Amino acid sequence: MAAGVATWLPFARAAAVGWLPLAQQPLPPAPGVKASRGDEVLVVNVSGRRFETWKNTLDRYPDTLLGSSEKEFFYDADSGEYFFDRDPDMFRHVLNFYRTGRLHCPRQECIQAFDEELAFYGLVPELVGDCCLEEYRDRKKENAERLAEDEEAEQAGDGPALPAGSSLRQRLWRAFENPHTSTAALVFYYVTGFFIAVSVIANVVETIPCRGPARRPPREQPCGDRFPLAFFCMDTACVLIFTGEYLLRLFAAPSRCRFLRSVMSLIDVVAILPYYIGLFVPKNEDVSGAFVTLRVFRVFRIFKFSRHSQGLRILGYTLKSCASELGFLLFSLTMAIIIFATVMFYAEKGTNKTNFTSIPAAFWYTIVTMTTLGYGDMVPSTIAGKIFGSICSLSGVLVIALPVPVIVSNFSRIYHQNQRADKRRAQQKVRLARIRLAKSGTTNAFLQYKQNGGLEDSGSGEEQALCVRNRSAFEQQHHHLLHCLEKTTCHEFTDELTFSEALGAVSLGGRTSRSTSVSSQAVGSSSLLSSCCPRRAKRRAIRLANSTASVSRGSMQELDTLAGLRRSPAPQSRSSLNAKPHDSLDLNCDSRDFVAAIISIPTPPANTPDESQPSSPGGGGGASSTLRNSSLGTPCLLPETVKISSLRCPRLPPSLITP
Amino acid sequence: MATVRHRPEALELLEAQSKFTKKELQILYRGFKNPCPLSHQECPSGVVNEETFKEIYSQFFPQGDSTTYAHFLFNAFDTDHNGAVSFEDFIKGLSILLRGTVQEKLNWAFNLYDINKDGYITKEEMLDIMKAIYDMMGKCTYPVLKEDAPRQHVETFFQKMDKNKDGVVTIDEFIESCQKDENIMRSMQLFENVI
C-alpha cells in the first residue's frame, strides 16, 4: 500500500460517513483504538549524526526497515534513540525519501555504496524518483559494464584458471576466442592471419597483367593465367588452412547451432565455398562464366580480418545501428533522382542520337551530376535539357552535401534519444507494474485479512490472534473502511479467480440451482431471487457448514456434498470470507435459534420472515430491518451472530445440515 | 495555482471553530500540506484540488474507480465552490464528520447526496451517488455486480426515506427516517476515533 497517503486515512474514513445512510446492512464496528495515538519525535543516530523526525513520517512506508518494527532491533534503550552504524551522508537521502516520497540519487557518491545503503534500509531501487532515475540507471549500467569488462579481462588474463578437468573442446574454444592464453593459440592466430593476407594478395596479383617471358608480341595476360599452377597451389593451401580452422571451430564451439548462425562462420563458409564449387565444376565454357562470378566471393576472405581487428567489428556494428538513417538518405536521394531523370529524359527526348534513351538511362546522368562527379559521358544538348541539368547539379549540392552532416549529427542525437525512449518505456512499464503491484498488494492484504478471520477484538481469544499476521493500525483501519464499503453495497471484494468462477457459476446456473435447493428448502421460501443478498444466504449456508465442520468433525458426508457443489479452492476462501467474529459478543442461547432458522426448517416462525426479507426486493425494507433488529435483541449482525454461534455451539451441526 | 500560497487561519482560531485539539490540528495540517507525495505531478501546497482528491481516494480503493465519488466528495467539502479545498474547509468538514452531533452528520450526508444543492434529493441524484459508490467496488465482486444493483438500492432507499412518496427526499424526511433506523444511528459513532 502506498502508505504515503496514510496521513489521509482520517479523511477517507470520515468521508465514509456518506455511506452510512445507504447501508442496507449494519456496518462493522471500528477497530480498537491504540492507547497512544499521539505523534512523537524519534531520534535516529547514524554514526553520531542525529536525525529527528516524526514517527508518522517513518510509518508512511511500513515495508521498509525504518517503517516497520525492524527498527526496534536498533533501539538503544539507554539513550532512547535508534542507532545505525552506517554512512550519515547517505542516510540523509533515505530520510528525505520518507519526508517527500521521492528518493534522490546523490551525484557525488558511488552508486554501489548507494545501492548497498538502499538494500540495508529496505528500499528498492525502483523508488528512485524520476528526476534522478535516468542518471541512476546510466551510472549503474556503466558500473555493471565496467565490472563485466574487468571480469572478462580477468578471465582472459588467467589462463590456467580454467578448471583442470575441462575437456579438449573447452580448451580449444578458449584458445580460439582468446589467442593470448597460450603460445599455441597465438601461433595459430598469426598463421591464419598470414594466410588470409596471402590469399587476398594472391587474388589481387592474379589479375595484374604480367609481361610474357620472351619478347613475343606483347600479349599481356593476367598473371593468374601465366602461372596457373602456382596460384592454384597457393589457393589450395589457403583453403585447406581455412577449412581446417573452420572445422576446428565447429568442433570446439559450445553451441554449434549458434556458431553456425553467427556472422563470422558465414563469412568463413562463403570464403572457402567457391574453391570447392570450382573443383567440381567441369571446365566448359557455359559454366565458367558463372564460375568466374563465384571467384568474386573470394574477396570476402578479407572480412575474416575482422576476427583480428576490433575496429572492424565496431565499424560493422555502427553501420548496422544507423541503418535507418542511411535508409532515409537513400530514399530521399532516390526520389530526387527519379524526378530529375524523368525531367531530363523528356527534355532530351526530341534530340537525335541522344544518350538519354530511357528514364533508367537518365538515372546515371542524374546521379553523376547530383554528386557533382560529372563524368561527361552523357550531356544534355537541348536548351531545356541544359537548364534542367544545371538545376539538377545545383540541387545535387543541396540534396547530398547538406543532409550528410545533419544526418551525422542527427544520428548521434537520434541514437541517444532512441535509447532514452526505450529506457523511458521500460521505466513506464516498471512504474505501472509497481503501481499495479501496490494495488494488488492492498487488495490481497484485504482478502488475506478476510481469509484469516479478520480479528479486531482483543477480547476473544489469544489463540486466534496468533494465527493472523500482525497488521499495523493503518492497515486495520483501512480494512475496516473497505469492509464498510462492502456492507454498504452488499457485495464483497474478491480476487480475479473467484470472480471468474462466479461468472462461470452464474452462466452455468446448474450449480446455483443445486445450492439454492439446499438453502431454499431450508428456508422454505422460493423467493431467493436476484435481490442483493440471496446468494449471501446460500453462501452463508455453505460457509457455515464448512466452518462448523472445521470446529467439529460431524456430518462429513453432508459437507462433502455441499463442498462438491463448488469444486474449487475458492470455497476455502469464501468460507472464511465472512467468518469474522469481530464482535466480542456474549451470545445467549437464543442465537441458536437463529442459526437453526437460517439453515434448517425454522421452528421460530418469527425468524423465517427475517431471512426471507432481504430476498424479496424492497418489500417493506424499513420494516424488515427494524423487525430483524428487534427480534435479535442484541446489537449485532445476523451473519456474524450465525458465525459465532456456530463456532461456539458445536453441537449444532447435525441439526444444521438436516434439510 | 502553484504560486498561490494559501496560509490558513491561526491555530487558535481553527481550534475554536472546530472540535479538534491543537495536536490533532497539527497532525492534520502536516498531512494536508503534503498531499500527494507519490505522484509525479506538482501539488500546489496549501490547497487541495479535485485531482488530488481523486488520486488520494484511488489509493484507498485500488480495485474500483473512485473518481466519481471523489468528485461528489470534493463538492461536499468545497463549501464555497471555488474549485479548491483549503485547510479551513477541510477542517470544517472533518469536524462535522468526526466530532459533530448526529444531526450535523446527517445534514452533511444530505448535502453530499443533494448534488445540485437545491434541498431535495431526487432519484437521479441518488442514482448517481449510488453508481459512484458501486464503482468503487470495481469489477471483481462477489456476488457478481449486476447492472441494476444501484437502481434497486436506490429504490430501497427511497422506499425507506420518502415518507410522503412524492419522489424526492427532503432534509426533514431524511433526518427523520435515519433517526428511526437503529443501524444508521449506531454506525454514526463508527468513525469517531479516527485521528
Side-chain angles (χ1 to χ4, degrees), chain A residues 220-250:
Chain A
E220 299 219 334
Q221 53 174 185
C223 285
D225 290 342
R226 261 205 59 133
F227 307 103
L229 197 59
F231 282 105
F232 182 71
C233 289
M234 220 176 315
D235 207 18
T236 312
C238 294
V239 168
L240 277 177
I241 302 259
F242 296 153
T243 319
E245 181 203 352
Y246 180 70
L247 290 175
L248 275 178
R249 275 185 203 262
L250 188 61

mmCIF file of all heavy atoms in Angstrom, chain A residues 220-250:
data_model
loop_
_atom_site.group_PDB
_atom_site.id
_atom_site.type_symbol
_atom_site.label_atom_id
_atom_site.label_comp_id
_atom_site.label_asym_id
_atom_site.label_seq_id
_atom_site.Cartn_x
_atom_site.Cartn_y
_atom_site.Cartn_z
ATOM 1 N N GLU A 220 49.777 -9.448 -73.344
ATOM 2 C CA GLU A 220 49.689 -9.300 -71.882
ATOM 3 C C GLU A 220 48.533 -10.152 -71.380
ATOM 4 O O GLU A 220 47.407 -10.007 -71.825
ATOM 5 C CB GLU A 220 49.450 -7.850 -71.504
ATOM 6 C CG GLU A 220 50.588 -6.963 -71.974
ATOM 7 C CD GLU A 220 50.897 -5.904 -70.944
ATOM 8 O OE1 GLU A 220 49.954 -5.572 -70.168
ATOM 9 O OE2 GLU A 220 52.017 -5.442 -70.869
ATOM 10 N N GLN A 221 48.878 -10.954 -70.478
ATOM 11 C CA GLN A 221 47.790 -11.715 -69.860
ATOM 12 C C GLN A 221 47.958 -11.600 -68.356
ATOM 13 O O GLN A 221 49.039 -11.357 -67.854
ATOM 14 C CB GLN A 221 47.823 -13.167 -70.317
ATOM 15 C CG GLN A 221 49.175 -13.792 -70.102
ATOM 16 C CD GLN A 221 49.176 -15.258 -70.419
ATOM 17 O OE1 GLN A 221 50.169 -15.908 -70.213
ATOM 18 N NE2 GLN A 221 48.094 -15.802 -70.910
ATOM 19 N N PRO A 222 46.912 -11.793 -67.686
ATOM 20 C CA PRO A 222 46.988 -11.691 -66.229
ATOM 21 C C PRO A 222 47.901 -12.793 -65.671
ATOM 22 O O PRO A 222 48.033 -13.861 -66.253
ATOM 23 C CB PRO A 222 45.556 -11.901 -65.735
ATOM 24 C CG PRO A 222 44.722 -12.123 -66.933
ATOM 25 C CD PRO A 222 45.549 -12.021 -68.148
ATOM 26 N N CYS A 223 48.543 -12.462 -64.604
ATOM 27 C CA CYS A 223 49.485 -13.399 -64.009
ATOM 28 C C CYS A 223 48.802 -14.708 -63.668
ATOM 29 O O CYS A 223 49.449 -15.768 -63.672
ATOM 30 C CB CYS A 223 50.091 -12.806 -62.738
ATOM 31 S SG CYS A 223 51.303 -11.537 -63.090
ATOM 32 N N GLY A 224 47.533 -14.613 -63.337
ATOM 33 C CA GLY A 224 46.841 -15.828 -62.983
ATOM 34 C C GLY A 224 46.832 -16.839 -64.111
ATOM 35 O O GLY A 224 46.928 -18.036 -63.894
ATOM 36 N N ASP A 225 46.756 -16.314 -65.344
ATOM 37 C CA ASP A 225 46.780 -17.250 -66.469
ATOM 38 C C ASP A 225 48.187 -17.691 -66.804
ATOM 39 O O ASP A 225 48.392 -18.748 -67.409
ATOM 40 C CB ASP A 225 46.142 -16.577 -67.696
ATOM 41 C CG ASP A 225 44.644 -16.404 -67.488
ATOM 42 O OD1 ASP A 225 44.110 -17.105 -66.595
ATOM 43 O OD2 ASP A 225 44.028 -15.576 -68.176
ATOM 44 N N ARG A 226 49.198 -16.888 -66.445
ATOM 45 C CA ARG A 226 50.573 -17.235 -66.767
ATOM 46 C C ARG A 226 51.086 -18.321 -65.832
ATOM 47 O O ARG A 226 51.761 -19.236 -66.255
ATOM 48 C CB ARG A 226 51.453 -16.004 -66.636
ATOM 49 C CG ARG A 226 51.714 -15.353 -67.953
ATOM 50 C CD ARG A 226 52.970 -14.586 -67.887
ATOM 51 N NE ARG A 226 54.061 -15.476 -67.551
ATOM 52 C CZ ARG A 226 55.213 -15.478 -68.200
ATOM 53 N NH1 ARG A 226 55.400 -14.645 -69.203
ATOM 54 N NH2 ARG A 226 56.181 -16.278 -67.853
ATOM 55 N N PHE A 227 50.756 -18.136 -64.571
ATOM 56 C CA PHE A 227 51.250 -19.111 -63.600
ATOM 57 C C PHE A 227 50.055 -19.772 -62.921
ATOM 58 O O PHE A 227 49.850 -19.635 -61.719
ATOM 59 C CB PHE A 227 52.118 -18.454 -62.537
ATOM 60 C CG PHE A 227 53.225 -17.624 -63.086
ATOM 61 C CD1 PHE A 227 53.134 -16.230 -63.106
ATOM 62 C CD2 PHE A 227 54.347 -18.227 -63.631
ATOM 63 C CE1 PHE A 227 54.159 -15.471 -63.604
ATOM 64 C CE2 PHE A 227 55.379 -17.468 -64.141
ATOM 65 C CZ PHE A 227 55.281 -16.082 -64.124
ATOM 66 N N PRO A 228 49.280 -20.477 -63.692
ATOM 67 C CA PRO A 228 48.065 -21.028 -63.085
ATOM 68 C C PRO A 228 48.364 -22.015 -61.973
ATOM 69 O O PRO A 228 47.689 -22.048 -60.954
ATOM 70 C CB PRO A 228 47.326 -21.681 -64.246
ATOM 71 C CG PRO A 228 48.374 -21.902 -65.290
ATOM 72 C CD PRO A 228 49.430 -20.905 -65.086
ATOM 73 N N LEU A 229 49.426 -22.801 -62.179
ATOM 74 C CA LEU A 229 49.690 -23.822 -61.174
ATOM 75 C C LEU A 229 50.076 -23.203 -59.841
ATOM 76 O O LEU A 229 49.624 -23.617 -58.778
ATOM 77 C CB LEU A 229 50.802 -24.754 -61.679
ATOM 78 C CG LEU A 229 50.879 -26.066 -60.918
ATOM 79 C CD1 LEU A 229 49.551 -26.808 -61.036
ATOM 80 C CD2 LEU A 229 52.017 -26.914 -61.456
ATOM 81 N N ALA A 230 50.960 -22.195 -59.935
ATOM 82 C CA ALA A 230 51.424 -21.572 -58.682
ATOM 83 C C ALA A 230 50.250 -20.989 -57.907
ATOM 84 O O ALA A 230 50.090 -21.234 -56.692
ATOM 85 C CB ALA A 230 52.437 -20.483 -59.003
ATOM 86 N N PHE A 231 49.426 -20.256 -58.645
ATOM 87 C CA PHE A 231 48.290 -19.647 -57.951
ATOM 88 C C PHE A 231 47.337 -20.702 -57.416
ATOM 89 O O PHE A 231 46.760 -20.568 -56.334
ATOM 90 C CB PHE A 231 47.562 -18.674 -58.881
ATOM 91 C CG PHE A 231 48.268 -17.367 -59.009
ATOM 92 C CD1 PHE A 231 48.989 -17.059 -60.153
ATOM 93 C CD2 PHE A 231 48.253 -16.459 -57.972
ATOM 94 C CE1 PHE A 231 49.651 -15.849 -60.258
ATOM 95 C CE2 PHE A 231 48.913 -15.255 -58.072
ATOM 96 C CZ PHE A 231 49.621 -14.937 -59.222
ATOM 97 N N PHE A 232 47.205 -21.761 -58.222
ATOM 98 C CA PHE A 232 46.304 -22.818 -57.752
ATOM 99 C C PHE A 232 46.817 -23.448 -56.474
ATOM 100 O O PHE A 232 46.060 -23.716 -55.537
ATOM 101 C CB PHE A 232 46.141 -23.866 -58.861
ATOM 102 C CG PHE A 232 45.199 -24.954 -58.465
ATOM 103 C CD1 PHE A 232 43.838 -24.727 -58.364
ATOM 104 C CD2 PHE A 232 45.687 -26.230 -58.164
ATOM 105 C CE1 PHE A 232 42.971 -25.733 -57.988
ATOM 106 C CE2 PHE A 232 44.820 -27.243 -57.796
ATOM 107 C CZ PHE A 232 43.470 -26.998 -57.708
ATOM 108 N N CYS A 233 48.123 -23.676 -56.424
ATOM 109 C CA CYS A 233 48.681 -24.281 -55.216
ATOM 110 C C CYS A 233 48.491 -23.374 -54.031
ATOM 111 O O CYS A 233 48.101 -23.809 -52.931
ATOM 112 C CB CYS A 233 50.181 -24.572 -55.421
ATOM 113 S SG CYS A 233 50.474 -25.916 -56.551
ATOM 114 N N MET A 234 48.761 -22.083 -54.245
ATOM 115 C CA MET A 234 48.606 -21.148 -53.133
ATOM 116 C C MET A 234 47.162 -21.124 -52.655
ATOM 117 O O MET A 234 46.874 -21.147 -51.451
ATOM 118 C CB MET A 234 49.022 -19.745 -53.591
ATOM 119 C CG MET A 234 49.787 -19.030 -52.528
ATOM 120 S SD MET A 234 50.412 -17.448 -52.990
ATOM 121 C CE MET A 234 51.121 -17.638 -54.560
ATOM 122 N N ASP A 235 46.234 -21.093 -53.610
ATOM 123 C CA ASP A 235 44.822 -21.075 -53.263
ATOM 124 C C ASP A 235 44.441 -22.312 -52.462
ATOM 125 O O ASP A 235 43.733 -22.245 -51.463
ATOM 126 C CB ASP A 235 44.000 -20.974 -54.554
ATOM 127 C CG ASP A 235 42.665 -20.306 -54.300
ATOM 128 O OD1 ASP A 235 42.530 -19.636 -53.263
ATOM 129 O OD2 ASP A 235 41.756 -20.478 -55.133
ATOM 130 N N THR A 236 44.946 -23.465 -52.978
ATOM 131 C CA THR A 236 44.610 -24.704 -52.285
ATOM 132 C C THR A 236 45.112 -24.683 -50.861
ATOM 133 O O THR A 236 44.403 -25.062 -49.925
ATOM 134 C CB THR A 236 45.250 -25.896 -53.027
ATOM 135 O OG1 THR A 236 44.968 -25.763 -54.404
ATOM 136 C CG2 THR A 236 44.691 -27.192 -52.493
ATOM 137 N N ALA A 237 46.369 -24.240 -50.703
ATOM 138 C CA ALA A 237 46.929 -24.214 -49.349
ATOM 139 C C ALA A 237 46.076 -23.336 -48.436
ATOM 140 O O ALA A 237 45.696 -23.730 -47.319
ATOM 141 C CB ALA A 237 48.359 -23.706 -49.403
ATOM 142 N N CYS A 238 45.749 -22.145 -48.923
ATOM 143 C CA CYS A 238 44.950 -21.242 -48.098
ATOM 144 C C CYS A 238 43.617 -21.879 -47.757
ATOM 145 O O CYS A 238 43.179 -21.861 -46.595
ATOM 146 C CB CYS A 238 44.712 -19.919 -48.836
ATOM 147 S SG CYS A 238 46.206 -18.973 -49.094
ATOM 148 N N VAL A 239 42.979 -22.436 -48.756
ATOM 149 C CA VAL A 239 41.648 -23.001 -48.493
ATOM 150 C C VAL A 239 41.746 -24.163 -47.523
ATOM 151 O O VAL A 239 40.882 -24.336 -46.655
ATOM 152 C CB VAL A 239 40.988 -23.446 -49.822
ATOM 153 C CG1 VAL A 239 39.765 -24.283 -49.535
ATOM 154 C CG2 VAL A 239 40.587 -22.224 -50.612
ATOM 155 N N LEU A 240 42.808 -24.933 -47.651
ATOM 156 C CA LEU A 240 42.965 -26.037 -46.704
ATOM 157 C C LEU A 240 43.060 -25.502 -45.282
ATOM 158 O O LEU A 240 42.397 -25.999 -44.352
ATOM 159 C CB LEU A 240 44.212 -26.844 -47.054
ATOM 160 C CG LEU A 240 44.010 -27.892 -48.151
ATOM 161 C CD1 LEU A 240 45.325 -28.567 -48.451
ATOM 162 C CD2 LEU A 240 42.975 -28.924 -47.716
ATOM 163 N N ILE A 241 43.900 -24.503 -45.128
ATOM 164 C CA ILE A 241 44.046 -23.910 -43.786
ATOM 165 C C ILE A 241 42.700 -23.386 -43.292
ATOM 166 O O ILE A 241 42.292 -23.624 -42.142
ATOM 167 C CB ILE A 241 45.070 -22.768 -43.803
ATOM 168 C CG1 ILE A 241 46.418 -23.246 -44.297
ATOM 169 C CG2 ILE A 241 45.126 -22.116 -42.464
ATOM 170 C CD1 ILE A 241 47.401 -23.493 -43.221
ATOM 171 N N PHE A 242 41.993 -22.681 -44.143
ATOM 172 C CA PHE A 242 40.722 -22.100 -43.709
ATOM 173 C C PHE A 242 39.716 -23.182 -43.368
ATOM 174 O O PHE A 242 38.971 -23.091 -42.383
ATOM 175 C CB PHE A 242 40.135 -21.189 -44.794
ATOM 176 C CG PHE A 242 40.988 -19.996 -45.095
ATOM 177 C CD1 PHE A 242 40.951 -19.391 -46.343
ATOM 178 C CD2 PHE A 242 41.839 -19.469 -44.140
ATOM 179 C CE1 PHE A 242 41.733 -18.294 -46.619
ATOM 180 C CE2 PHE A 242 42.623 -18.380 -44.394
ATOM 181 C CZ PHE A 242 42.574 -17.780 -45.648
ATOM 182 N N THR A 243 39.698 -24.218 -44.209
ATOM 183 C CA THR A 243 38.749 -25.297 -43.923
ATOM 184 C C THR A 243 39.060 -25.952 -42.601
ATOM 185 O O THR A 243 38.176 -26.215 -41.789
ATOM 186 C CB THR A 243 38.811 -26.356 -45.039
ATOM 187 O OG1 THR A 243 38.911 -25.706 -46.286
ATOM 188 C CG2 THR A 243 37.607 -27.261 -44.976
ATOM 189 N N GLY A 244 40.367 -26.230 -42.400
ATOM 190 C CA GLY A 244 40.755 -26.829 -41.130
ATOM 191 C C GLY A 244 40.345 -25.966 -39.958
ATOM 192 O O GLY A 244 39.775 -26.431 -38.956
ATOM 193 N N GLU A 245 40.583 -24.670 -40.076
ATOM 194 C CA GLU A 245 40.237 -23.770 -38.979
ATOM 195 C C GLU A 245 38.744 -23.792 -38.733
ATOM 196 O O GLU A 245 38.281 -23.861 -37.584
ATOM 197 C CB GLU A 245 40.705 -22.349 -39.342
ATOM 198 C CG GLU A 245 40.418 -21.343 -38.258
ATOM 199 C CD GLU A 245 40.358 -19.926 -38.816
ATOM 200 O OE1 GLU A 245 40.691 -19.743 -40.005
ATOM 201 O OE2 GLU A 245 39.967 -19.020 -38.076
ATOM 202 N N TYR A 246 37.976 -23.772 -39.825
ATOM 203 C CA TYR A 246 36.522 -23.751 -39.667
ATOM 204 C C TYR A 246 36.028 -25.021 -38.993
ATOM 205 O O TYR A 246 35.200 -24.979 -38.066
ATOM 206 C CB TYR A 246 35.868 -23.590 -41.041
ATOM 207 C CG TYR A 246 34.363 -23.548 -40.990
ATOM 208 C CD1 TYR A 246 33.698 -22.462 -40.447
ATOM 209 C CD2 TYR A 246 33.601 -24.605 -41.470
ATOM 210 C CE1 TYR A 246 32.327 -22.417 -40.390
ATOM 211 C CE2 TYR A 246 32.236 -24.568 -41.413
ATOM 212 C CZ TYR A 246 31.597 -23.472 -40.878
ATOM 213 O OH TYR A 246 30.245 -23.436 -40.813
ATOM 214 N N LEU A 247 36.562 -26.141 -39.418
ATOM 215 C CA LEU A 247 36.105 -27.388 -38.817
ATOM 216 C C LEU A 247 36.494 -27.465 -37.348
ATOM 217 O O LEU A 247 35.715 -27.929 -36.508
ATOM 218 C CB LEU A 247 36.672 -28.576 -39.593
ATOM 219 C CG LEU A 247 36.066 -28.757 -40.979
ATOM 220 C CD1 LEU A 247 36.769 -29.883 -41.727
ATOM 221 C CD2 LEU A 247 34.577 -29.070 -40.866
ATOM 222 N N LEU A 248 37.697 -26.994 -37.041
ATOM 223 C CA LEU A 248 38.112 -26.999 -35.648
ATOM 224 C C LEU A 248 37.213 -26.118 -34.803
ATOM 225 O O LEU A 248 36.803 -26.477 -33.694
ATOM 226 C CB LEU A 248 39.565 -26.513 -35.532
ATOM 227 C CG LEU A 248 40.640 -27.570 -35.748
ATOM 228 C CD1 LEU A 248 42.002 -26.922 -35.647
ATOM 229 C CD2 LEU A 248 40.494 -28.679 -34.720
ATOM 230 N N ARG A 249 36.891 -24.964 -35.332
ATOM 231 C CA ARG A 249 35.999 -24.082 -34.591
ATOM 232 C C ARG A 249 34.636 -24.713 -34.407
ATOM 233 O O ARG A 249 34.020 -24.624 -33.346
ATOM 234 C CB ARG A 249 35.822 -22.749 -35.332
ATOM 235 C CG ARG A 249 36.899 -21.765 -35.037
ATOM 236 C CD ARG A 249 36.606 -20.408 -35.696
ATOM 237 N NE ARG A 249 37.844 -19.671 -35.860
ATOM 238 C CZ ARG A 249 38.260 -18.728 -35.020
ATOM 239 N NH1 ARG A 249 37.534 -18.424 -33.981
ATOM 240 N NH2 ARG A 249 39.402 -18.109 -35.223
ATOM 241 N N LEU A 250 34.172 -25.369 -35.451
ATOM 242 C CA LEU A 250 32.868 -26.004 -35.353
ATOM 243 C C LEU A 250 32.880 -27.079 -34.285
ATOM 244 O O LEU A 250 31.926 -27.218 -33.517
ATOM 245 C CB LEU A 250 32.489 -26.608 -36.715
ATOM 246 C CG LEU A 250 31.067 -27.136 -36.832
ATOM 247 C CD1 LEU A 250 30.090 -25.997 -36.606
ATOM 248 C CD2 LEU A 250 30.857 -27.753 -38.196
#
